Amino acid sequence: MTKYVENETYIPKDDLDRIKARLHAHIESASEAELKIAAKSDASFRVYVADLFKSIAALFGYIVGKFIGGLREIGRGISSGFEEGFRAGLGD
């Protein structure tokens, strides 16, 4: 029989209780080695995700740095050009 639910995130209480019981039984039956593997997998995944975000941030920083570097060069060129023109106008 099809069950209709309030929205896509709603889990009926009886289903949730069955899921919790199954999960609890699985954890209780897991050996220490299996639990260590799960813990290491979780830690490895966290390191991988952190490294991924660090790489993305480094790429973004590089792009922004290249853009700002270009603006600085333009600014230096304008500044030195203005100074040269100003001195020439003064007759120095």
Side-chain angles (χ1 to χ4, degrees):
M1 181 176 182
T2 304
K3 282 187 182 179
Y4 293 98
V5 295
E6 298 170 12
N7 60 48
E8 68 277 0
T9 61
Y10 174 75
I11 300 173
K13 176 144 176 44
D14 57 332
D15 289 347
L16 189 58
D17 290 340
R18 277 196 303 269
I19 292 168
K20 285 179 180 179
R22 241 180 38 213
L23 184 58
H24 183 69
H26 179 72
I27 291 171
E28 287 297 318
S29 70
S31 69
E32 188 175 329
E34 289 174 315
L35 293 175
K36 285 182 180 179
I37 289 169
K40 285 182 181 179
S41 296
D42 182 55
S44 294
F45 180 70
R46 287 181 184 184
V47 168
Y48 172 76
V49 170
D51 191 48
L52 177 66
F53 277 93
K54 182 180 177 181
S55 297
I56 292 169
L59 177 61
F60 183 70
Y62 177 79
I63 292 168
V64 170
K66 288 294 281 183
F67 179 74
I68 298 296
L71 291 178
R72 286 169 115 186
E73 288 298 317
I74 291 170
R76 287 181 187 139
I78 290 171
S79 177
S80 65
F82 182 82
E83 186 178 340
E84 288 175 16
F86 187 74
R87 287 181 191 244
L90 290 175
D92 287 344

